[in-house]
Amino acid sequence: MEGSTDMGHAHPTGSPLTRRTMLGGATAVALAAATGTTAGAAQAASATEVPSLWREFTRAPFTHPQIPYIGRAGHRAGAPRFLRRPVVADIRDFGATPDGTTDSAPAINRAIAAAGRAGGGTVTIPPGTFRIDDVIRVGHSNVVLRGAGSSRTKLHATKNLTELIGAYGSRYGGDKSSWSWAGGLIWLAPEGRWNSLVAAIRAKNWPFEGWTGNRRDEWRPLTGVAPARRGSWTVTVTDPSSLRPGALVLLRLADDAEHTLLEHMCGGGPGPEAYTWDDKTKLTSYVPYEWPVRITRVHGRKVTLERPLPLDVRPEWNPQLTTHIPELSGSGVEGLTLEATETPQQPHLLDKGHNGVVLQCAYDCWVDDVTVRHVDNGFGLVAASACTLRHTRVAGRGSHHPYFCREGSHDNLIEDFTIEARTTPAPAGTQLHGINVEGLSSHNVWSRGDMRMGTFDSHRGLPFANVRTDITVDNNGRHGGDASAGPLFGARFTHWNVRVTNARAGMIRLDGLAPYSATVGINEVREFDQIDVPDFAGDLHSRLELYGTTDVVRPRNLYDAQRALFR
């Protein structure tokens, strides 16, 4: 965190009354800016509509039942600029050649490793086409790989992850390839974590991929946590002696025999209480819920967090702050195109791993001005949190998952993104998803998107409290997910100002589908070619507002408006 303009320094430690007073003033400023109700703007304001849901949210931003607080999603809580680190290496000094034929992957990886040993810095890639016959790995914190721009620097990848690492089966059985949803030809992950993953894959001990190791056993408790409510910025701990400001910890919540944690993620009530949870074995394997967060202040037994609690903290869930594997932090990839050799898209779930850029066990990292082309899977967040993908683009022959967000990824921001229409027809037996979220992932944001194909995908696994806002989409993809992974949606999914160019409702109009969720400012859509059905019976408590409209809704962008509340 940096700067007094961020919320973490001012209001989390204040009283509720102080927060409410400050919020009222900030709301007036933000709403005026969003609606154009400044002096001389009355005519513009008359063409806009402010939904009642927005007014409700500004009165209770951290605890609203349908809309999540996502105003601090992304790298450095959504900072508009990324950190600039001094240049410490040029890949040409390590033997890289922009001739398009010489394998430059060893030289690039040597340059990145040298930057890591030096404690960080920027590794530059000049204009030109560099052939790579291996994975490009960013495994040390504070290392940035920077090209000269996505239109000037190209990495041409000649091999896939099956060739480079080996076949990767699913830990849930069957003949699926996990390269269909994991791994990248540019892979940002802590070096030790990457090494352990590769070793497990080559040994065919299919791993868990998250913050606590291949068997989810690489953690230790730091302290218990007293009961607290969703939206609180502070918690009371049993023993603060191991906690320090700036440290990254996991909030760990286990479930109980009645699955009340999973019910809580769905908003509670009769529907989730009547749902059959015990046979959802893939979903229950994702529990305990693990939420990475930095500590900003320790005062006695009171601990202030970088962002508010995503869920209640209840004693029946054995709440703890714990350690985790060392994170990758402060690293990024910028200004390049990764182009795989064009090969036909493989049948569904049998991808070879012509994958793009993946961030794994990464916190406060980023990708900026990067295009991937001819990939099986584009940009991935796997147990990644507080990261930003900005000005990214998926192009070429068509992909399975243009964007995927899974394995407990939280508080990420994907903005100003583009999914281009495929350049070749989809082969038989393939499938297109879109902007995917699954596996208990929460508080992720997709903002200002141009989706010329795909859908707002969930692969089940009970993702909750995610936002898609200010997006144009040709809604021609399908959702995925095994039945054993449980619900498509938990509570507080919000789709805000979405323009559907083909009028297909599937996975975008949420009022009959997602519990305690909101669809605001979507054009008229119809149900056709649908496979999505609600998981819960009864009243879903889901809201639909300003239906049949799009760009007249104010605020136009829910994420930008939430950030503006506290500037």
Side-chain angles (χ1 to χ4, degrees):
M1 291 175 44
E2 83 167 3
S4 60
T5 57
D6 282 338
M7 293 170 54
H9 294 284
H11 89 280
T13 55
S15 68
L17 180 60
T18 300
R19 288 201 295 268
R20 190 177 300 116
T21 302
M22 184 173 69
L23 182 60
T27 299
V29 173
L31 194 57
T35 59
T37 53
T38 56
Q43 184 175 0
S46 66
T48 65
E49 296 188 60
V50 180
S52 59
L53 271 164
W54 173 250
R55 300 184 189 278
E56 292 173 17
F57 175 83
T58 61
R59 293 192 290 269
F62 311 125
T63 57
H64 192 276
Q66 279 92 11
I67 298 177
Y69 176 69
I70 40 79
R72 292 182 66 81
H75 167 67
R76 293 167 58 232
R81 289 176 295 278
F82 300 115
L83 295 173
R84 309 303 291 178
R85 304 198 182 281
V87 174
V88 296
D90 183 312
I91 64 167
R92 291 172 296 186
D93 296 335
F94 291 80
T97 304
D99 58 9
T101 59
T102 303
D103 178 16
S104 291
I108 297 172
N109 283 327
R110 286 195 297 268
I112 294 170
R117 290 192 299 271
T122 297
V123 175
T124 59
I125 310 177
T129 297
F130 295 84
R131 172 175 167 162
I132 57 171
D133 296 345
D134 201 355
V135 178
I136 302 302
R137 306 187 305 276
V138 179
H140 292 86
S141 292
N142 304 317
V143 172
V144 179
L145 183 64
R146 182 187 301 155
S150 59
S151 63
R152 302 179 67 202
T153 296
K154 180 192 292 186
L155 303 183
H156 175 216
T158 63
K159 297 183 178 181
N160 58 55
L161 294 169
T162 300
E163 295 172 290
L164 295 171
I165 295 174
Y168 186 5
S170 170
R171 67 180 184 248
Y172 299 103
D175 59 356
K176 303 170 184 176
S177 166
S178 285
W179 297 130
S180 301
W181 56 78
L185 293 168
I186 299 178
W187 200 328
L188 290 82
E191 183 176 37
R193 189 72 184 99
W194 192 85
N195 288 337
S196 70
L197 285 166
V198 169
I201 293 166
R202 288 175 172 163
K204 302 190 183 305
N205 295 324
W206 314 131
F208 284 90
E209 299 157 288
W211 285 101
T212 50
N214 294 344
R215 295 179 299 277
R216 300 196 73 178
D217 58 358
E218 296 181 40
W219 63 278
R220 60 181 176 83
L222 294 171
T223 181
V225 183
R229 298 299 300 273
R230 176 173 68 87
S232 175
W233 293 72
T234 62
V235 293
T236 301
V237 301
T238 306
D239 178 7
S241 61
S242 298
L243 307 179
R244 299 289 183 271
L248 185 69
V249 297
L250 290 185
L251 172 65
R252 181 182 173 91
L253 301 177
D255 206 359
D256 58 14
E258 288 74 36
H259 300 294
T260 59
L261 174 62
L262 298 177
E263 292 172 4
H264 176 56
M265 291 175 178
C266 298
E273 289 172 4
Y275 186 77
T276 300
W277 299 99
D278 285 335
D279 63 349
K280 307 303 186 293
T281 52
K282 189 172 185 178
L283 171 62
T284 53
S285 77
Y286 298 151
V287 182
Y289 174 79
E290 296 169 339
W291 180 59
V293 65
R294 287 202 192 279
I295 293 170
T296 61
R297 186 169 184 250
V298 180
H299 183 69
R301 292 172 53 218
K302 297 286 186 182
V303 176
T304 303
L305 305 175
E306 186 175 24
R307 47 182 56 85
L309 289 175
L311 297 165
D312 287 355
V313 173
R314 301 180 187 173
E316 56 265 36
W317 302 331
N318 188 25
Q320 303 176 69
L321 297 182
T322 77
T323 64
H324 49 83
I325 59 99
E327 72 272 17
L328 183 76
S329 183
S331 295
V333 176
E334 304 174 348
L336 58 84
T337 288
L338 173 67
E339 181 175 288
T341 299
E342 185 171 1
T343 58
Q345 187 177 347
Q346 294 295 298
H348 189 222
L349 299 178
L350 297 178
D351 296 347
K352 300 290 187 181
H354 296 93
N355 294 349
V357 183
V358 163
L359 292 83
Q360 185 162 4
C361 297
Y363 193 95
D364 262 335
C365 294
W366 69 90
V367 179
D368 183 33
D369 182 28
V370 172
T371 294
V372 297
R373 185 173 287 115
H374 303 320
V375 293
D376 296 334
N377 302 283
F379 294 90
L381 296 158
V382 180
S385 293
C387 296
T388 295
L389 277 61
R390 185 175 293 156
H391 300 122
T392 56
R393 179 180 296 263
V394 181
R397 50 87 155 154
S399 54
H400 179 193
H401 296 93
Y403 291 82
F404 55 98
C405 178
R406 50 177 294 273
E407 203 82 4
S409 290
H410 312 290
D411 305 301
N412 297 294
L413 170 64
I414 301 94
E415 64 179 356
D416 299 300
F417 67 95
T418 301
I419 302 173
E420 294 187 0
R422 62 187 314 135
T423 55
T424 59
T430 62
Q431 196 163 120
L432 165 67
H433 298 306
I435 51 174
N436 154 263
V437 61
E438 59 180 284
L440 302 185
S441 297
S442 66
H443 296 84
N444 301 288
V445 181
W446 290 260
S447 169
R448 292 191 300 274
D450 178 8
M451 296 177 58
R452 302 168 201 173
M453 64 178 190
T455 193
F456 289 5
D457 176 41
S458 164
H459 270 34
R460 301 191 177 274
L462 191 51
F464 65 93
N466 297 284
V467 167
R468 285 90 168 229
T469 181
D470 196 8
I471 296 171
T472 300
V473 53
D474 187 19
N475 187 21
N476 59 5
R478 287 182 178 270
H479 79 74
D482 295 340
S484 65
L488 283 167
F489 302 103
R492 296 181 302 285
F493 260 79
T494 302
H495 292 169
W496 186 286
N497 188 21
V498 178
R499 300 162 292 276
V500 183
T501 60
N502 62 346
R504 177 171 173 252
M507 299 298 288
I508 297 180
R509 180 172 169 174
L510 294 173
D511 54 302
L513 193 59
Y516 287 93
S517 293
T519 308
V520 177
I522 178 177
N523 56 291
E524 292 188 13
V525 291
R526 308 187 309 276
E527 293 191 6
F528 59 90
D529 190 33
Q530 306 294 93
I531 61 171
D532 46 303
V533 296
D535 292 289
F536 305 109
D539 187 354
L540 295 180
H541 301 278
S542 195
R543 306 269 295 271
L544 176 69
E545 195 167 353
L546 296 185
Y547 179 60
T549 70
T550 52
D551 293 329
V552 303
V553 62
R554 293 296 184 272
R556 176 186 176 97
N557 186 292
L558 182 61
Y559 172 74
D560 291 344
Q562 288 198 19
R563 284 187 53 76
L565 283 175
F566 297 98
R567 285 177 182 165

